[in-house]
Amino acid sequence: MALEDRIKQIEDEIKKTPYNKATSHHIGKLKAKLSQLKEESIKRSSKGTKGSGFHVKKSGDATVVLVGFPSVGKSTLLNDITNAESKIGAYEFTTLEIVPGVMEYEGAKIQVFDIPGIITGASKGKGRGREILSVARNADLILIILDVFNPQHINVISEELRNIGIRPNETRADVTVKPKKMGGLTVSSTVKLTHIDEKTIRSVLNEYGIHSADVLIRDDVTVDQFIDSMDVSCRYIPMLEVVNKIDLIDKDYFDEVKSHMPDAIFISANKQINVEELKREIFNKLALIRIYLKPQGRKADYEEPLIVRKGSTVKEVAGKLHREFVRNFRHAKGWGASVKFEGQKVGLDHVLNDGDVLRIIVKKK
């Protein structure tokens, strides 16, 4: 039986099986098998034929991918927020290849990819969908672009992303499984488990060929989250919902859509309405911070900050500058919100804040 047929067969069985306490372990076993088949499908597609225009090289401080159905205005939006020149047309499939652009904001250079519009069934290969969506798997942020007249497409796109192993706006569950040679399964948790029981956990692990292991769970996980924690192919990527073409609707319709999508950003790429707000949200969602470097005996360089992720340490900043800065590190001095007093001496493990000034001092050769 073909891989896709096996996937569909298990999906159908899961849908037909009523979920209750008696069937939960069986459904867990089916979902574990399904997850493994989908992981195999993703690996196969990544090794398959690669079409022109779908080879992308990441650069800059972060990468954003625009995902949406055809004719939702992705090309126009790309031109609004970057230096790209993407084709624009009021017809489907204008973009037949991946078009890159660079959005410069608060000193950051953010790479943005406009990928071809997807269609229902993209994750199963329709319209070269797997190739297209594979670009999103390597993104730091996904922008789902929706036509204001079809906001329900969010459900379709979310499902297509999940089918290729992307978990938008989720974090990996805190689950540790340490296989051992013998002794059976030992399951312990630091929280009360209300969605999954030990029998289901055993069924899932047995499906992965694990019969002896120490299992520690620190989150109240669902069976899907537990299975995802076993799947190394799952990608946890931040996502923003962007509803376009608001210049074409009245206030009543706007309020209705807004009530169903309170977290979405509403824009008009054509009229450039709320585009600056979107750029700010992209920067914030990427959790980027600015670090200003201060060479010894000179003033801090406020013109070109070093862009790093929130939570970065002095070691990570030093490594981004040059590996020798870490190898020959002596100490650093910091100014800003992360230190108790200006010019405080800090070590490699010191966590930096947005807007900090940093001077790295290395050992003399």
Side-chain angles (χ1 to χ4, degrees):
M1 186 184 293
L3 183 59
E4 291 303 326
D5 292 334
R6 290 165 64 195
I7 289 174
K8 188 176 186 307
Q9 185 182 58
I10 295 175
E11 287 176 336
D12 290 342
E13 187 174 349
I14 291 172
K15 288 177 183 177
K16 292 175 183 176
T17 305
Y19 186 85
N20 53 53
K21 192 172 183 179
T23 63
S24 61
H25 71 284
H26 176 63
I27 291 175
K29 187 174 182 178
L30 289 173
K31 286 185 173 182
K33 189 186 294 289
L34 181 63
S35 175
Q36 291 178 86
L37 290 174
K38 285 185 174 180
E39 184 178 355
E40 183 182 343
S41 177
I42 291 168
K43 288 178 181 177
R44 284 189 187 181
S45 64
S46 66
K47 294 176 183 177
T49 305
K50 293 178 171 61
S52 174
F54 296 100
H55 299 275
V56 296
K57 183 178 180 180
K58 294 179 72 172
S59 65
D61 299 304
T63 300
V64 177
V65 173
L66 310 182
V67 179
F69 275 54
S71 302
V72 295
K74 293 189 288 90
S75 297
T76 304
L77 179 59
L78 183 76
N79 293 341
D80 283 348
I81 65 176
T82 74
N83 57 4
E85 293 184 1
S86 184
K87 294 178 183 177
I88 302 171
Y91 49 89
E92 295 190 350
F93 301 104
T94 305
T95 304
L96 299 176
E97 58 184 19
I98 293 174
V99 182
V102 176
M103 183 183 99
E104 297 190 15
Y105 190 84
E106 295 288 352
K109 289 180 172 59
I110 300 168
Q111 190 177 39
V112 184
F113 288 123
D114 175 18
I115 64 176
I118 65 168
I119 57 176
T120 303
S123 58
K124 293 181 171 62
K126 291 184 179 179
R128 296 178 70 188
R130 279 190 184 170
E131 275 184 87
I132 295 167
L133 289 173
S134 68
V135 180
R137 282 178 54 82
N138 296 313
D140 298 305
L141 174 65
I142 295 172
L143 260 62
I144 294 185
I145 315 300
L146 302 163
D147 188 308
V148 72
F149 296 108
N150 292 292
Q152 73 279 2
H153 285 167
I154 182 64
N155 299 320
V156 178
I157 296 172
S158 295
E159 185 64 22
E160 297 294 340
L161 292 174
R162 292 192 68 83
N163 283 342
I164 64 159
I166 294 175
R167 301 294 180 260
N169 285 344
E170 294 183 23
T171 55
R172 186 178 292 275
D174 194 343
V175 176
T176 303
V177 178
K178 292 184 177 179
K180 53 189 181 181
K181 291 183 178 180
M182 58 183 69
L185 289 172
T186 303
V187 180
S188 57
S189 63
T190 59
V191 297
K192 184 179 179 180
L193 301 179
T194 62
H195 306 292
I196 192 172
D197 57 24
E198 190 168 325
K199 188 177 181 180
T200 303
I201 292 170
R202 290 178 181 276
S203 294
V204 170
L205 292 178
N206 288 344
E207 197 59 42
Y208 280 91
I210 300 173
H211 304 283
S212 290
D214 291 324
V215 182
L216 176 60
I217 305 174
R218 295 188 179 90
D219 289 325
D220 184 16
V221 296
T222 64
V223 64
D224 292 315
Q225 290 172 321
F226 183 78
I227 292 169
D228 283 347
S229 73
M230 304 290 295
D231 187 349
V232 296
S233 72
C234 277
R235 297 295 311 276
Y236 296 82
I237 303 174
M239 179 191 76
L240 283 175
E241 299 170 6
V242 182
V243 181
N244 191 23
K245 304 182 184 180
I246 61 170
D247 57 307
L248 303 178
I249 59 173
D250 59 28
K251 185 179 182 305
D252 289 340
Y253 183 74
F254 173 85
D255 290 341
E256 180 186 346
V257 177
K258 180 74 173 175
S259 67
H260 294 292
M261 305 183 70
D263 297 324
I265 300 171
F266 290 79
I267 70 164
S268 168
N270 192 40
K271 301 292 185 181
Q272 298 192 355
I273 299 172
N274 290 340
V275 169
E276 283 302 312
E277 178 191 345
L278 174 60
K279 290 167 74 171
R280 182 171 63 251
E281 285 300 315
I282 290 172
F283 183 85
N284 292 338
K285 193 74 171 179
L286 285 167
L288 299 175
I289 61 172
R290 298 154 297 179
I291 303 300
Y292 301 99
L293 301 175
K294 185 182 186 303
Q296 191 165 0
R298 291 157 58 187
K299 293 182 179 180
D301 181 3
Y302 289 103
E303 295 298 319
E304 293 188 21
L306 184 70
I307 305 297
V308 294
R309 292 301 175 90
K310 185 178 180 181
S312 290
T313 62
V314 171
K315 183 178 181 179
E316 288 165 319
V317 169
K320 191 169 183 177
L321 293 171
H322 198 285
R323 62 177 179 269
E324 291 294 326
F325 279 40
V326 177
R327 187 179 301 169
N328 298 318
F329 182 84
R330 185 177 168 193
H331 64 265
K333 290 187 176 182
W335 292 260
S338 73
V339 293
K340 293 179 181 178
F341 55 89
E342 300 298 88
Q344 179 183 333
K345 186 184 292 186
V346 295
L348 287 172
D349 295 332
H350 180 74
V351 178
L352 297 158
N353 284 356
D354 183 39
D356 277 359
V357 173
L358 184 70
R359 185 171 85 197
I360 296 175
I361 299 164
V362 297
K363 298 172 185 175
K364 294 181 179 178
K365 293 183 180 180

